[in-house]
Amino acid sequence: MNNSNSNNDCDADELSVVNCSDPNVLLAIQSFNLNTFKSLVFLDYRSPVNGSKPNECDAVWRFRNKKEKSWRKYRDFRRFTFRIGDNCTYKVDHAGRWHSGVNARQIRRAVNATRRTNPRFVPAVVDDDINDTIPTLGSDSKFRNGRYLYYSRGGDYCKGMNQHLWSFLCGLGEAMFLNRTFVMDLSFCLSASYNPSNKDEEGKDFRFYFDFEHLKEVASIVEEGEFMRDWKKWNRGHKKKLPARKVKTYKVTPMQLQKDKSTIIWRQFDAPEPDNYWYRVCEGQAANYIQRPWHAIWKSKRLMNIVSEIAGRMDWDFDAVHVVRGEKAQNKELWPHLDADTSPDSLLWKLKTMVQPWRNLYIATNEPFYNYFDKIRSQYKVHLLDDYKELWSNTSEWYNETMNLNDGRPVEFDGYMRVAVDTEVLYRAKTRVETFYNLTSDCKDGASTWLMSVDSGRGMVSTWLMSVDSGRGKTLQNMDDNSPISACDQPFREFFILMIDRQNEIVFAPASSGWLCPCVNSGTEHNQALKANGDNCFKENLSKALEHSNVIDIIPRQNHVV
């Protein structure tokens, strides 16, 4: 990495002014980054430019984190101070912090196209890797030749994000199975559980939370507004309307629609809950045919830019602890020790055994009081999400770009966004400390939790997690593949019927009628329902389930490592 110099003599005075365009300067920066940031993959660099002093250069590059599954690129630019090393080589003497190389940062007008933009709210700098353009269907002939699957709004609309995604991916999976374009409503309702106002909030944009560009690349989709305009335009301009089949019940399976030649299959969800949930389409036999395309869902690049900013400011060298408090810490029945185990004194004592003192320590938490962790600051460089509020303040790129998507209206950095960013920063830590299994002896799903191993009678054993939910019912989850049994949302999602079929296989299904029906204790006939509607009822019928099925074992989860 020799700097060009006649006679190979090293004149420090001459070289004190660094020629930033010299290829050897870039090589020195690349070597420094590779040795310093081992968790990153560096993808491309631009030629360095002059810094603020003669021995400084600013450089910009793109990178990805090795722990991230996607291949999305992120950007950093830093200021480097150089000295002359052996054999007249450039050596990095000092590197600035995250985004310190401001001279290398490209300033550009926004080129990120959306359906509507407001010129009063154009950010000075944008991430040019983000493309939120809404695809159009093109000419009338292209629209007519397409095949579409359209889901009308159902009971999932203001439910939690888990149910929203579970249902959305059911619809998208069915569209893929039928080889159709999925008609997608970008606007949805955010559940009250994610909002400081504790009220459901309509009008949220899918693109605030998820990567729309990636979704367009891996799935055939069309935005609902574009689709409806083209549909109405066709019907106004042609005597023969487009053939559309209305499907009024989820009980019409995707397999029955496979040979349907209608241009539009329109699923309508007008039944009462829970029969108006989209995910019901993928239950039963359909579950063997419809594969939910989880690979299509990535978190928003804008949120991930905030994640990279936070991790970058800690130079990617930090540890993290996840501290769960909130409602769980207050519920002494299900989590009797959690409140004490996550007290400041207890946290400090336990962290000393797992994290070296004075490390950068990121705390991902739902604890609302900022000063709650002050005691930990006596031993660690504590970082909380609220320490980085400027990343979504009214002067931030995130603020301006999301406002562009929202027709010039400010977008709140809501509870779901906070959880998403917290989780992703936690994931990038060198050492991760979890509340459950690390900080407390309480079970994540509550004190009254069992694991049930079930032999299906066909040589296959599966493990099910059963837990009491505040005495109202039981939650069931397949621990082998972490798949949910039924995503019925609050307040009834925990109520299930335990059924035994002719082969003595244990089957779990949501109650289709009479959610709060009484226990049934008589008989063991085919399809005898044993309602798990409360502790006493459950315990009474659990023995019957054990007696009349191939349940191998039920043990408290505290004694079982999952």
Side-chain angles (χ1 to χ4, degrees), residues 281-330:
V281 172
C282 298
E283 292 181 337
Q285 188 182 6
N288 297 322
Y289 294 87
I290 305 302
Q291 300 294 321
R292 283 178 171 84
W294 289 102
H295 65 279
I297 297 295
W298 288 356
K299 288 186 176 71
S300 159
K301 178 74 185 312
R302 294 184 178 90
L303 291 179
M304 295 304 294
N305 281 340
I306 292 177
V307 171
S308 291
E309 180 94 16
I310 294 173
R313 290 188 185 185
M314 294 185 281
D315 277 335
W316 304 95
D317 184 20
F318 65 97
D319 302 317
V321 56
H322 185 202
V323 181
V324 176
R325 288 187 53 78
E327 293 181 0
K328 287 188 177 182
Q330 298 170 17

Short mmCIF file of all heavy atoms in Angstrom, two decimals, residues 281-330:
data_model
loop_
_atom_site.label_atom_id
_atom_site.label_comp_id
_atom_site.label_asym_id
_atom_site.label_seq_id
_atom_site.Cartn_x
_atom_site.Cartn_y
_atom_site.Cartn_z
N VAL A 281 -59.66 -18.88 6.25
CA VAL A 281 -59.53 -19.48 4.91
C VAL A 281 -58.45 -20.56 4.89
O VAL A 281 -58.55 -21.55 4.16
CB VAL A 281 -59.21 -18.39 3.87
CG1 VAL A 281 -58.87 -19.00 2.51
CG2 VAL A 281 -60.38 -17.41 3.74
N CYS A 282 -57.41 -20.38 5.71
CA CYS A 282 -56.25 -21.28 5.68
C CYS A 282 -56.31 -22.37 6.74
O CYS A 282 -55.31 -23.05 6.98
CB CYS A 282 -54.97 -20.46 5.84
SG CYS A 282 -54.71 -19.26 4.52
N GLU A 283 -57.45 -22.53 7.37
CA GLU A 283 -57.58 -23.57 8.39
C GLU A 283 -58.05 -24.88 7.78
O GLU A 283 -58.44 -24.95 6.61
CB GLU A 283 -58.56 -23.12 9.48
CG GLU A 283 -58.05 -21.97 10.32
CD GLU A 283 -59.03 -21.57 11.40
OE1 GLU A 283 -60.23 -21.84 11.27
OE2 GLU A 283 -58.57 -20.96 12.38
N GLY A 284 -58.02 -25.91 8.59
CA GLY A 284 -58.51 -27.21 8.14
C GLY A 284 -57.66 -27.81 7.05
O GLY A 284 -56.43 -27.72 7.06
N GLN A 285 -58.32 -28.39 6.07
CA GLN A 285 -57.61 -29.05 4.97
C GLN A 285 -56.76 -28.06 4.17
O GLN A 285 -55.71 -28.42 3.64
CB GLN A 285 -58.62 -29.74 4.06
CG GLN A 285 -57.96 -30.61 2.98
CD GLN A 285 -58.99 -31.26 2.06
OE1 GLN A 285 -60.18 -30.96 2.16
NE2 GLN A 285 -58.53 -32.14 1.18
N ALA A 286 -57.21 -26.79 4.12
CA ALA A 286 -56.47 -25.79 3.35
C ALA A 286 -55.06 -25.59 3.89
O ALA A 286 -54.15 -25.20 3.15
CB ALA A 286 -57.22 -24.46 3.36
N ALA A 287 -54.86 -25.86 5.18
CA ALA A 287 -53.53 -25.68 5.77
C ALA A 287 -52.49 -26.59 5.13
O ALA A 287 -51.29 -26.31 5.19
CB ALA A 287 -53.60 -25.94 7.27
N ASN A 288 -52.93 -27.67 4.50
CA ASN A 288 -52.01 -28.57 3.82
C ASN A 288 -51.60 -28.06 2.44
O ASN A 288 -50.67 -28.59 1.83
CB ASN A 288 -52.65 -29.96 3.66
CG ASN A 288 -52.93 -30.61 5.00
OD1 ASN A 288 -52.14 -30.48 5.94
ND2 ASN A 288 -54.07 -31.30 5.12
N TYR A 289 -52.29 -27.02 1.96
CA TYR A 289 -52.04 -26.52 0.61
C TYR A 289 -51.49 -25.09 0.61
O TYR A 289 -50.72 -24.72 -0.28
CB TYR A 289 -53.33 -26.54 -0.22
CG TYR A 289 -53.83 -27.93 -0.49
CD1 TYR A 289 -54.67 -28.59 0.42
CD2 TYR A 289 -53.49 -28.60 -1.66
CE1 TYR A 289 -55.14 -29.87 0.17
CE2 TYR A 289 -53.95 -29.89 -1.92
CZ TYR A 289 -54.77 -30.52 -1.00
OH TYR A 289 -55.24 -31.80 -1.25
N ILE A 290 -51.91 -24.28 1.57
CA ILE A 290 -51.52 -22.87 1.59
C ILE A 290 -50.29 -22.69 2.48
O ILE A 290 -50.31 -23.01 3.66
CB ILE A 290 -52.66 -21.99 2.12
CG1 ILE A 290 -53.93 -22.23 1.30
CG2 ILE A 290 -52.25 -20.51 2.05
CD1 ILE A 290 -53.79 -21.98 -0.17
N GLN A 291 -49.22 -22.17 1.91
CA GLN A 291 -48.01 -21.88 2.65
C GLN A 291 -47.91 -20.36 2.84
O GLN A 291 -47.88 -19.61 1.87
CB GLN A 291 -46.78 -22.38 1.90
CG GLN A 291 -46.77 -23.88 1.65
CD GLN A 291 -46.66 -24.66 2.95
OE1 GLN A 291 -45.94 -24.27 3.86
NE2 GLN A 291 -47.39 -25.77 3.03
N ARG A 292 -47.91 -19.93 4.08
CA ARG A 292 -47.78 -18.49 4.32
C ARG A 292 -46.37 -18.03 3.93
O ARG A 292 -45.38 -18.56 4.44
CB ARG A 292 -48.05 -18.17 5.79
CG ARG A 292 -49.53 -18.18 6.16
CD ARG A 292 -49.72 -17.90 7.64
NE ARG A 292 -51.12 -17.71 7.96
CZ ARG A 292 -51.98 -18.68 8.21
NH1 ARG A 292 -51.57 -19.95 8.13
NH2 ARG A 292 -53.25 -18.42 8.51
N PRO A 293 -46.26 -17.02 3.07
CA PRO A 293 -44.94 -16.58 2.59
C PRO A 293 -44.27 -15.61 3.57
O PRO A 293 -44.17 -14.40 3.32
CB PRO A 293 -45.27 -15.89 1.26
CG PRO A 293 -46.66 -15.36 1.47
CD PRO A 293 -47.36 -16.34 2.36
N TRP A 294 -43.80 -16.14 4.68
CA TRP A 294 -43.17 -15.29 5.69
C TRP A 294 -41.94 -14.57 5.13
O TRP A 294 -41.57 -13.48 5.62
CB TRP A 294 -42.77 -16.13 6.90
CG TRP A 294 -43.95 -16.59 7.72
CD1 TRP A 294 -44.51 -17.83 7.72
CD2 TRP A 294 -44.72 -15.79 8.62
NE1 TRP A 294 -45.59 -17.87 8.57
CE2 TRP A 294 -45.74 -16.63 9.14
CE3 TRP A 294 -44.65 -14.48 9.05
CZ2 TRP A 294 -46.68 -16.18 10.07
CZ3 TRP A 294 -45.59 -14.02 9.97
CH2 TRP A 294 -46.58 -14.86 10.47
N HIS A 295 -41.30 -15.15 4.13
CA HIS A 295 -40.13 -14.51 3.54
C HIS A 295 -40.46 -13.18 2.88
O HIS A 295 -39.56 -12.38 2.59
CB HIS A 295 -39.49 -15.45 2.51
CG HIS A 295 -40.38 -15.71 1.32
ND1 HIS A 295 -41.40 -16.65 1.34
CD2 HIS A 295 -40.42 -15.15 0.08
CE1 HIS A 295 -42.00 -16.66 0.17
NE2 HIS A 295 -41.44 -15.76 -0.61
N ALA A 296 -41.75 -12.94 2.63
CA ALA A 296 -42.16 -11.70 1.96
C ALA A 296 -42.21 -10.51 2.91
O ALA A 296 -42.29 -9.37 2.47
CB ALA A 296 -43.53 -11.88 1.30
N ILE A 297 -42.17 -10.77 4.22
CA ILE A 297 -42.32 -9.71 5.20
C ILE A 297 -40.97 -9.35 5.81
O ILE A 297 -40.37 -10.16 6.53
CB ILE A 297 -43.31 -10.11 6.32
CG1 ILE A 297 -44.70 -10.33 5.71
CG2 ILE A 297 -43.36 -9.06 7.41
CD1 ILE A 297 -45.33 -9.07 5.13
N TRP A 298 -40.50 -8.17 5.49
CA TRP A 298 -39.33 -7.59 6.14
C TRP A 298 -39.77 -6.31 6.85
O TRP A 298 -40.73 -5.65 6.43
CB TRP A 298 -38.25 -7.20 5.13
CG TRP A 298 -37.52 -8.35 4.52
CD1 TRP A 298 -37.65 -9.67 4.81
CD2 TRP A 298 -36.51 -8.25 3.50
NE1 TRP A 298 -36.81 -10.42 4.03
CE2 TRP A 298 -36.09 -9.58 3.22
CE3 TRP A 298 -35.93 -7.20 2.80
CZ2 TRP A 298 -35.12 -9.87 2.27
CZ3 TRP A 298 -34.96 -7.48 1.86
CH2 TRP A 298 -34.55 -8.80 1.60
N LYS A 299 -39.09 -5.96 7.92
CA LYS A 299 -39.40 -4.70 8.58
C LYS A 299 -39.03 -3.55 7.66
O LYS A 299 -38.15 -3.65 6.79
CB LYS A 299 -38.63 -4.60 9.90
CG LYS A 299 -39.16 -5.53 10.99
CD LYS A 299 -38.45 -5.25 12.30
CE LYS A 299 -39.04 -6.11 13.42
NZ LYS A 299 -38.70 -7.53 13.30
N SER A 300 -39.69 -2.42 7.88
CA SER A 300 -39.46 -1.23 7.07
C SER A 300 -37.99 -0.84 7.06
O SER A 300 -37.32 -0.83 8.09
CB SER A 300 -40.30 -0.07 7.63
OG SER A 300 -39.78 1.17 7.23
N LYS A 301 -37.49 -0.49 5.88
CA LYS A 301 -36.10 -0.03 5.77
C LYS A 301 -35.91 1.25 6.57
O LYS A 301 -34.82 1.51 7.11
CB LYS A 301 -35.76 0.20 4.29
CG LYS A 301 -34.35 0.73 4.03
CD LYS A 301 -33.29 -0.33 4.22
CE LYS A 301 -31.87 0.21 4.09
NZ LYS A 301 -31.63 1.06 2.92
N ARG A 302 -36.93 2.08 6.67
CA ARG A 302 -36.80 3.31 7.45
C ARG A 302 -36.60 2.99 8.93
O ARG A 302 -35.80 3.64 9.61
CB ARG A 302 -38.04 4.19 7.24
CG ARG A 302 -38.17 4.71 5.82
CD ARG A 302 -39.36 5.65 5.67
NE ARG A 302 -39.41 6.16 4.30
CZ ARG A 302 -40.07 5.58 3.31
NH1 ARG A 302 -40.76 4.47 3.55
NH2 ARG A 302 -40.07 6.09 2.10
N LEU A 303 -37.33 2.01 9.45
CA LEU A 303 -37.12 1.61 10.83
C LEU A 303 -35.75 0.96 11.00
O LEU A 303 -35.06 1.17 12.00
CB LEU A 303 -38.22 0.63 11.28
CG LEU A 303 -39.62 1.22 11.43
CD1 LEU A 303 -40.61 0.12 11.86
CD2 LEU A 303 -39.64 2.35 12.45
N MET A 304 -35.35 0.17 10.01
CA MET A 304 -34.05 -0.50 10.10
C MET A 304 -32.90 0.50 9.99
O MET A 304 -31.81 0.27 10.52
CB MET A 304 -33.94 -1.57 9.02
CG MET A 304 -34.93 -2.72 9.20
SD MET A 304 -34.81 -3.52 10.80
CE MET A 304 -33.18 -4.24 10.67
N ASN A 305 -33.12 1.63 9.31
CA ASN A 305 -32.10 2.68 9.30
C ASN A 305 -31.90 3.25 10.70
O ASN A 305 -30.78 3.60 11.09
CB ASN A 305 -32.51 3.80 8.33
CG ASN A 305 -32.23 3.44 6.88
OD1 ASN A 305 -31.43 2.56 6.59
ND2 ASN A 305 -32.90 4.12 5.97
N ILE A 306 -33.00 3.36 11.47
CA ILE A 306 -32.89 3.82 12.85
C ILE A 306 -32.11 2.79 13.68
O ILE A 306 -31.27 3.14 14.51
CB ILE A 306 -34.29 4.06 13.45
CG1 ILE A 306 -34.95 5.26 12.76
CG2 ILE A 306 -34.21 4.30 14.95
CD1 ILE A 306 -36.37 5.55 13.22
N VAL A 307 -32.39 1.50 13.44
CA VAL A 307 -31.66 0.44 14.13
C VAL A 307 -30.16 0.56 13.85
O VAL A 307 -29.32 0.51 14.77
CB VAL A 307 -32.18 -0.95 13.69
CG1 VAL A 307 -31.29 -2.07 14.23
CG2 VAL A 307 -33.62 -1.15 14.16
N SER A 308 -29.80 0.73 12.58
CA SER A 308 -28.40 0.85 12.21
C SER A 308 -27.76 2.09 12.82
O SER A 308 -26.59 2.09 13.22
CB SER A 308 -28.24 0.88 10.69
OG SER A 308 -28.56 -0.38 10.13
N GLU A 309 -28.54 3.17 12.89
CA GLU A 309 -28.03 4.40 13.48
C GLU A 309 -27.70 4.20 14.96
O GLU A 309 -26.63 4.60 15.44
CB GLU A 309 -29.07 5.52 13.33
CG GLU A 309 -28.65 6.85 13.91
CD GLU A 309 -28.00 7.78 12.90
OE1 GLU A 309 -28.14 7.52 11.70
OE2 GLU A 309 -27.35 8.75 13.33
N ILE A 310 -28.60 3.54 15.69
CA ILE A 310 -28.37 3.32 17.12
C ILE A 310 -27.17 2.40 17.34
O ILE A 310 -26.28 2.70 18.14
CB ILE A 310 -29.64 2.72 17.78
CG1 ILE A 310 -30.79 3.74 17.74
CG2 ILE A 310 -29.35 2.28 19.21
CD1 ILE A 310 -32.12 3.19 18.20
N ALA A 311 -27.14 1.28 16.61
CA ALA A 311 -26.02 0.36 16.75
C ALA A 311 -24.71 1.01 16.28
O ALA A 311 -23.65 0.80 16.89
CB ALA A 311 -26.29 -0.91 15.95
N GLY A 312 -24.78 1.82 15.23
CA GLY A 312 -23.59 2.48 14.72
C GLY A 312 -23.02 3.49 15.70
O GLY A 312 -21.80 3.65 15.81
N ARG A 313 -23.89 4.18 16.41
CA ARG A 313 -23.41 5.16 17.39
C ARG A 313 -22.69 4.47 18.55
O ARG A 313 -21.91 5.12 19.26
CB ARG A 313 -24.58 5.99 17.91
CG ARG A 313 -25.14 6.96 16.88
CD ARG A 313 -26.15 7.89 17.50
NE ARG A 313 -26.78 8.74 16.50
CZ ARG A 313 -27.64 9.71 16.79
NH1 ARG A 313 -27.95 9.95 18.06
NH2 ARG A 313 -28.19 10.43 15.84
N MET A 314 -22.98 3.20 18.76
CA MET A 314 -22.24 2.42 19.76
C MET A 314 -21.10 1.65 19.10
O MET A 314 -20.54 0.73 19.69
CB MET A 314 -23.19 1.47 20.49
CG MET A 314 -24.23 2.17 21.35
SD MET A 314 -25.26 1.03 22.31
CE MET A 314 -26.42 0.48 21.04
N ASP A 315 -20.79 2.01 17.86
CA ASP A 315 -19.71 1.38 17.09
C ASP A 315 -19.88 -0.13 16.98
O ASP A 315 -18.89 -0.86 16.89
CB ASP A 315 -18.34 1.73 17.67
CG ASP A 315 -17.84 3.09 17.18
OD1 ASP A 315 -18.28 3.52 16.10
OD2 ASP A 315 -17.04 3.72 17.89
N TRP A 316 -21.12 -0.59 16.98
CA TRP A 316 -21.45 -2.01 16.83
C TRP A 316 -20.79 -2.86 17.91
O TRP A 316 -20.65 -4.07 17.76
CB TRP A 316 -21.04 -2.51 15.44
CG TRP A 316 -21.65 -1.72 14.33
CD1 TRP A 316 -21.07 -0.66 13.68
CD2 TRP A 316 -22.96 -1.86 13.77
NE1 TRP A 316 -21.94 -0.15 12.75
CE2 TRP A 316 -23.10 -0.87 12.78
CE3 TRP A 316 -24.01 -2.73 14.00
CZ2 TRP A 316 -24.26 -0.72 12.02
CZ3 TRP A 316 -25.16 -2.59 13.25
CH2 TRP A 316 -25.28 -1.60 12.27
N ASP A 317 -20.41 -2.22 18.99
CA ASP A 317 -19.72 -2.94 20.07
C ASP A 317 -20.50 -2.72 21.36
O ASP A 317 -20.19 -1.81 22.15
CB ASP A 317 -18.28 -2.42 20.20
CG ASP A 317 -17.48 -3.18 21.25
OD1 ASP A 317 -17.88 -4.32 21.59
OD2 ASP A 317 -16.47 -2.63 21.73
N PHE A 318 -21.52 -3.52 21.57
CA PHE A 318 -22.38 -3.31 22.74
C PHE A 318 -23.02 -4.63 23.15
O PHE A 318 -23.11 -5.59 22.37
CB PHE A 318 -23.46 -2.27 22.43
CG PHE A 318 -24.45 -2.69 21.37
CD1 PHE A 318 -25.68 -3.23 21.71
CD2 PHE A 318 -24.15 -2.54 20.02
CE1 PHE A 318 -26.59 -3.62 20.73
CE2 PHE A 318 -25.05 -2.92 19.04
CZ PHE A 318 -26.28 -3.46 19.40
N ASP A 319 -23.47 -4.68 24.38
CA ASP A 319 -24.27 -5.78 24.91
C ASP A 319 -25.67 -5.25 25.16
O ASP A 319 -25.91 -4.03 25.15
CB ASP A 319 -23.65 -6.33 26.20
CG ASP A 319 -22.22 -6.79 25.98
OD1 ASP A 319 -21.97 -7.45 24.95
OD2 ASP A 319 -21.35 -6.49 26.82
N ALA A 320 -26.61 -6.14 25.38
CA ALA A 320 -28.00 -5.71 25.55
C ALA A 320 -28.72 -6.61 26.53
O ALA A 320 -28.42 -7.80 26.66
CB ALA A 320 -28.72 -5.70 24.19
N VAL A 321 -29.70 -6.03 27.19
CA VAL A 321 -30.56 -6.78 28.09
C VAL A 321 -32.02 -6.43 27.76
O VAL A 321 -32.34 -5.27 27.50
CB VAL A 321 -30.24 -6.46 29.57
CG1 VAL A 321 -30.34 -4.97 29.86
CG2 VAL A 321 -31.18 -7.23 30.50
N HIS A 322 -32.84 -7.45 27.71
CA HIS A 322 -34.27 -7.27 27.47
C HIS A 322 -34.98 -7.35 28.82
O HIS A 322 -34.97 -8.40 29.47
CB HIS A 322 -34.78 -8.36 26.53
CG HIS A 322 -36.21 -8.19 26.12
ND1 HIS A 322 -36.98 -9.22 25.66
CD2 HIS A 322 -37.00 -7.09 26.10
CE1 HIS A 322 -38.19 -8.77 25.37
NE2 HIS A 322 -38.23 -7.48 25.62
N VAL A 323 -35.58 -6.24 29.25
CA VAL A 323 -36.24 -6.18 30.55
C VAL A 323 -37.73 -6.05 30.34
O VAL A 323 -38.23 -5.00 29.92
CB VAL A 323 -35.71 -5.00 31.39
CG1 VAL A 323 -36.41 -4.97 32.76
CG2 VAL A 323 -34.20 -5.10 31.57
N VAL A 324 -38.46 -7.12 30.61
CA VAL A 324 -39.92 -7.14 30.48
C VAL A 324 -40.54 -6.76 31.81
O VAL A 324 -40.27 -7.40 32.84
CB VAL A 324 -40.43 -8.53 30.05
CG1 VAL A 324 -41.95 -8.55 30.00
CG2 VAL A 324 -39.84 -8.92 28.71
N ARG A 325 -41.35 -5.71 31.80
CA ARG A 325 -42.06 -5.32 33.02
C ARG A 325 -43.53 -5.08 32.68
O ARG A 325 -44.21 -5.98 32.28
CB ARG A 325 -41.38 -4.09 33.64
CG ARG A 325 -40.00 -4.45 34.26
CD ARG A 325 -39.40 -3.28 35.01
NE ARG A 325 -40.28 -2.70 36.00
CZ ARG A 325 -40.51 -3.23 37.20
NH1 ARG A 325 -39.95 -4.36 37.56
NH2 ARG A 325 -41.33 -2.61 38.04
N GLY A 326 -44.01 -3.89 32.82
CA GLY A 326 -45.38 -3.58 32.42
C GLY A 326 -46.41 -4.43 33.14
O GLY A 326 -46.32 -4.69 34.35
N GLU A 327 -47.43 -4.88 32.41
CA GLU A 327 -48.54 -5.64 32.98
C GLU A 327 -48.09 -6.96 33.59
O GLU A 327 -48.64 -7.41 34.59
CB GLU A 327 -49.61 -5.88 31.93
CG GLU A 327 -50.32 -4.61 31.46
CD GLU A 327 -51.39 -4.89 30.43
OE1 GLU A 327 -51.58 -6.09 30.10
OE2 GLU A 327 -52.03 -3.94 29.96
N LYS A 328 -47.08 -7.58 33.01
CA LYS A 328 -46.63 -8.86 33.55
C LYS A 328 -46.03 -8.68 34.94
O LYS A 328 -46.23 -9.52 35.83
CB LYS A 328 -45.62 -9.51 32.60
CG LYS A 328 -46.22 -10.07 31.34
CD LYS A 328 -45.22 -10.88 30.52
CE LYS A 328 -45.90 -11.50 29.30
NZ LYS A 328 -44.96 -12.33 28.51
N ALA A 329 -45.28 -7.61 35.13
CA ALA A 329 -44.68 -7.38 36.44
C ALA A 329 -45.74 -7.09 37.50
O ALA A 329 -45.52 -7.34 38.69
CB ALA A 329 -43.68 -6.22 36.36
N GLN A 330 -46.89 -6.58 37.08
CA GLN A 330 -47.96 -6.28 38.02
C GLN A 330 -48.84 -7.48 38.32
O GLN A 330 -49.55 -7.50 39.33
CB GLN A 330 -48.83 -5.14 37.45
CG GLN A 330 -48.09 -3.83 37.25
CD GLN A 330 -48.90 -2.82 36.47
OE1 GLN A 330 -50.12 -2.94 36.34
NE2 GLN A 330 -48.23 -1.79 35.96
#
